[in-house]
Each structure stands twice: as structure tokens, then as C-alpha cells.
Amino acid sequence: MAKLSSSRQKALLRKYALNVKFFMMIASVSVIVYALPKQAKFGYEYEKGRIWNQKDLISPYNFAILKTNQEIEADEKTALATVTPIYQLNTDVGKQLVEGFKTDLEIKWHTAGINDKFKAKYLQTGISLLTDVYTRGIFKPNSKYQQSNPNYRVTILNNNIATERNTADLLTRETAIAYCDNAIGKVPYVDRAFLLNLMQDRLQTNLTYDLKLTQRLEQEVVENLSITRGMVQKGETIISKGSVINDEAFQKLGSFKKAFEDNARINGNHTLVLLGQFLLVGLVITLLMIFLYLFRRDIYDDNRLVSLILLVVTAMLATLSLAIKLQWPGNLYYIPYCIVPIIIRILFDTRLALNIHLLVVLVAGFFVPNSFEFAFFEITAGMVSIYSIKNLLRREQFLISALIITFAYFVSFVGISLVREGSFSAIDWMDFLPFAGSVMLTLLAYPLIYAFEKMFAITSDITLIELTNTNAPLLREMAFSAPGTFQHSLQVANLAENAIYSIGGNALLVRAGALYHDIGKMQNPLFFIENQTSHFNPHDKLPYEESAQIIIRHVSKGIEMARKANLPEIVIDFIRTHHGNTRVDYFYQSFLKNFPEKFINENIFRYPGPIPFSKEAGVLMLADSVEAASRSLKEPDEESISVLVDRIVKYKLDQNQLKDSNITLKDLETIKTIFKRMLMSIYHVRIDY
């Protein structure tokens, strides 16, 4: 099968761009809807302590009132107190240990030095005491049941026959030894130490705590507890308009919501629920695309950027939906919602970041508990995250932003808690932990931005900062091989950066473009006047056409070198456009002067273009021409510099080089003023006051 060329592939993508965009939208909506929980949405929002401002809420059917968590915990505690721990009686233990005592007595009797006539008495006393002890029972106390009283009730199982006892009637090994010691002391003509030593080796527990059986009984008791208290009858008023949502009303509303969701899950039409979700999510994605079409047409026309935005939105909503479905432990607020506006802000702009964040929160609000609270928390935090990273110039800005977002969450948390509870003492400060965890996870935006840059060929301010470092490989090479060009590029960068600050634009981008715009001159540095250190000029021995082509080729060579060094296309555009399609006038005019009779193709002396198509590229073109021309001034003063700047700007306008750059005449006046002021400062021109 024949393989399509890259140009043919690009042509096909352009031809079917709208179809691709539509497919991406449908895919995004489908993934989000697939991930969302398929349940009907309860139609009321309520909070404890607030006024019920809606109409009287009448119950459409009977439903049980659910107990609160505190009531359930209290019931469980009461029920568990009725369960006595189970101990299994092992009758064989006593018999075996009595037999062991007999054996021990026989072995040690001969060396004890006691008269044989007392042997029977020793044997009878030991057997009697051991039998008595094992009849009462020896157990090991369990600290779990000794919290309020050292003695507690137990159930003893002997061949599946249960007997209720109290541990006060039982013996531990220590109390059994003490009991035997006391009893032996009352028997005359018995060596107390000898007999006690024999017996204590045979005192072991014959009552074993049955943990599994006890836990099973406790589980059965808890499972049999009712989680409801009372009923609300059909037609009964759940809450009246104007009433305060107190604890009782809050519990009734929660119970009604649970009954509504259960009823919808059983009797609701899942197809209609799916249709509703598809309409809502589809509306949100459509609004996003309309925003891009109206206000960021550059992004709308680039399906690569559209796919990135849809990927971020879909991933966030799918993550939230998965958390709701799987009922992840902890809290839904652990999810780093602010990561979306931060990524979009750094990769694109503030308006788009805020728009996308609002749409994501709107969709998420349909499926999370307490939608209003959720929306307030996340919209305010998202706005703070966007405002706190206006320009990402330093790495610590991420940490500063995280602290500011945490503070915003904290203020919202305290405010909502006070509105709900009306007391500082009632606030559970542990509930703030999910918000802190969310902010920590938001720091993942930093590596994600890097990944998205590489995957979608986007250039963020972070990358531009790295590129403008003069120790970058290409700039370091230019500083050594073409020092004059390097100094020229630095001056152009300063001029262009100051100008773009004043008229509005991306100063980092224009600085990066200025530093790299002439890297193509490294191929033949001596053919450019700023690198010539002697009176020898290699152009003197070349035809004018060839000299012009060498000068013009620094653009194509620069593009080639930039791509080899993996510079972003947005920076390469500055190399491509910094001369537009102007002529190399010096060699063109020289040719006309020396060969007036010859016909010449003017395009030989003209740069291939294109002309600048952004404000930043237009400013760079002007700064490059002005800085280069200023070097030819023999006696730079205020007047000559002013005339030079005005002449060059007028020439670019006359040549239609700025018509696509979105620079206004007002901008041009500002640019000229800045150029004049900076050039006079560079050449130490004293201004008359």
C-alpha cells in the first residue's frame, strides 16, 4: 500500500479539520458520560442551619427516617455491650495436667527427703486442689472488656453448652497459684514450697477466648440493628417554606434524598438519564468550542491544541466520576481540581483557564454532594490559582501559589462551617485535610505541563525561560563563533522586550525569538559586518547576486539549525519572519548602479518571507532593523537616532511588512519612543533639558 507523503497528510488533515474536531468533541462527551454515575439527580440543595426558601416539601410516598451517624454509633455501642465474650472450655487440659502432676510427684519424691508415709497426703492434696482450680476455670483476661471494670461477664462453651459466668468467679494463672499457696498452707505436715513448686508447673489456662465466634456474634448484633427511626407518610409535610433546617429537618431531607435515589435507581429510566447527561455534557463542550471560535480562533483552528484541552477536561471529569463510582476512601475534595486551570493558564491564557474551570465545576456539581458548597470551594480556589500564576517565571511560584490556594480553601472552609454550625467549637478541623491534600496533588501540574509540552508541541513560559538562558548550547556556540551577532541579538532582545512590555504581548517569547533570530549567521560569520574584525570584507571578491544569496541564506540555515536543536516552532517563526520579504537593498542598489544595462530578477535579492504574523514578530523585525542600522551612525545624537528610527519604521510600513502583525499606529508611536530612548542610552547621548 502506498504511503502518503507528510505534505499530503497535512493537506488531508486541513481538509477534514472540522470533521476531526467534531469527532474529538463526540469522543470527549462520550467518555465523560460513560464515566458519570448513572443516577437521577435530587432536585433540592439544603444545608443545616439555613432557611428553607422553597415551597412546602410534601412527601410523594412513604419513606423511613434514617438515623444519624451518632445515633447509629450509640446503638452499636449499646448493642455490643450486650454481647459477652465467648470462652471455650477444654476439659482435657485439666485431666492431662493432673496426670502430669502425678508423674512429677513420683519423679521428684525420691529426692525430696520426705517420709513416705506422707506421700499419699501430698498426692491427694495436689489432685484435690488442681481439680478444684480446673473446675472453676483458668483464663487469660482480655483488656478490651476491662475498660470500666476489671471483672466482666463471659459465656463459657462446654461441648456447645453455654454457661454465663463472671470473671470474678474464674481464676487467672496468678490467682490460681495464690489460691493453691494459701490452701497448702492450711494442710499440716506438708512441705509448702515443695508441693507448690510441683503444682504451679501444672497450672495452665483451660478457658480459651474464641475471637472469631465473639466477632461473629457482634457482627450479627450490629447487622440486626435498625438504621431507621420512624416514618414519613405520603402527603406529610417534610419541611415548610421559611422553616429553619434544624437537625430533625436535616435528617428528614437526607432520608428523602436517599429514598428518591433508591426509587430512581429501581424504577427510573436509565436511557433517559443517559440522554440527559449527554445533553448537559454536550452543551458544556459546545460552549467551550464556541468560546474558542469567538475569542481564541488560533486555538480553535489547531486541532492539536483542541485535543489537548479536551483531554485535560475529560481526564478531570472522568477521575471525579471514577471516585464517585468506586466510593474512594476519604473525600472527593482530595481530587486536585485546581490542576486544570493551572495547566491551561500556563499553556494558554487566563480567560481560557477560567472559562474551562467554570465549565468543569458546573458539570461536576451535578454529581457531588452539597453542590453549592462544592462549586463555591472549587470556583474560588480555581480563580485564586489562576491569579497567583499570572506569569510563571520562577519555580518557587508553584509553592507560593500552593500556599495561596491553601489559604483560600481555609477561608472558604471556615466561612461555610460558621454559616452551617454557628460555632467555632463545632468545626471539625480534620475535615480540612482533604483540601490540603488536594493542594499537594496540584503540584503535579509541573511535570504534567512538561509532558503536555512534549506531546503536543506547545511552548510554555517555563520552556522560554530555559531557552533565554545565554548558557543554552546554541547561544553559547554563537557567542564564540559569531560574537558580533551575539551582541547584536542581545541588544535586539532588550529593545524588543521593552517595546512589547509597553504595547502588550509575550515579553518572554519575543526575547527568546530575538536571541535566536540570527543563529543562521554562525555558518558564515565573517560575511556579516558585525563579525568582521579587520578591513577585509569577503564580499569584495563576490558578485552582488552571490553576496545577496549568502546574506539571505542565514534565514534558511537558521531554521535548519533551530530544528536540529529541537527549538519550538513558535521560536523558529521569528527566524523565518524577522526580515519578512524585504530586499537586501545594499547589494541590490549596488548591482543597479554598476550594471544599469543588465536585467536582473529582483527576487534574487529578496528574502523568501513570510512577513511577521504576530505582534511579537513585528516588534522583533523593527528592533532588528533599528539596532543594525544604528551601528552605521557615525555621530549618534538625539536627532540622528530619531530620524533613523522614523525612517526604518516608515520603510517597513511602506513595504507592507507589518500588515499581518496586529500592530496599531498607536503601538508604533509607543515602539518608536522606546527605541529612541533606549538607543540614546546605549550610545550615551545626552538629552537637552
Side-chain angles (χ1 to χ4, degrees), residues 24 299 302-313 456:
M24 289 191 297
I299 298 176
D302 191 337
N303 282 340
R304 172 176 49 89
L305 301 181
V306 172
S307 66
L308 168 59
I309 292 171
L310 292 178
L311 174 63
V312 172
V313 172
F456 294 91

Side-chain angles (χ1 to χ4, degrees), residues 497-544:
E497 188 175 26
N498 277 277
I500 208 71
Y501 262 126
S502 300
I503 67 172
N506 192 330
L508 264 178
L509 176 60
V510 80
R511 184 169 188 83
L515 289 174
Y516 289 92
H517 78 284
D518 269 346
I519 57 174
K521 292 182 178 180
M522 286 191 287
Q523 292 285 336
N524 294 297
L526 294 179
F527 281 86
F528 300 89
I529 192 168
E530 67 265 25
N531 298 310
Q532 295 171 5
T533 57
S534 65
H535 294 293
F536 172 72
N537 188 340
H539 289 289
D540 293 341
K541 298 182 178 180
L542 295 176
Y544 297 122

Side-chain angles (χ1 to χ4, degrees), residues 48 69-70 330-335 370 373 377-378 406 409-410 412-414 416-418 420-421 423-438:
K48 190 184 296 184
N69 291 333
Q70 292 80 3
N331 196 299
L332 291 176
Y333 286 106
Y334 276 112
I335 299 174
N370 300 321
E373 285 187 14
F377 276 125
E378 300 310 331
T406 304
Y409 269 135
F410 182 77
S412 300
F413 174 78
V414 172
I416 289 177
S417 298
L418 289 177
R420 186 193 302 137
E421 305 293 345
S423 169
F424 273 107
S425 59
I427 298 176
D428 186 354
W429 298 105
M430 294 300 292
D431 288 343
F432 184 69
L433 286 180
F435 297 100
S438 170

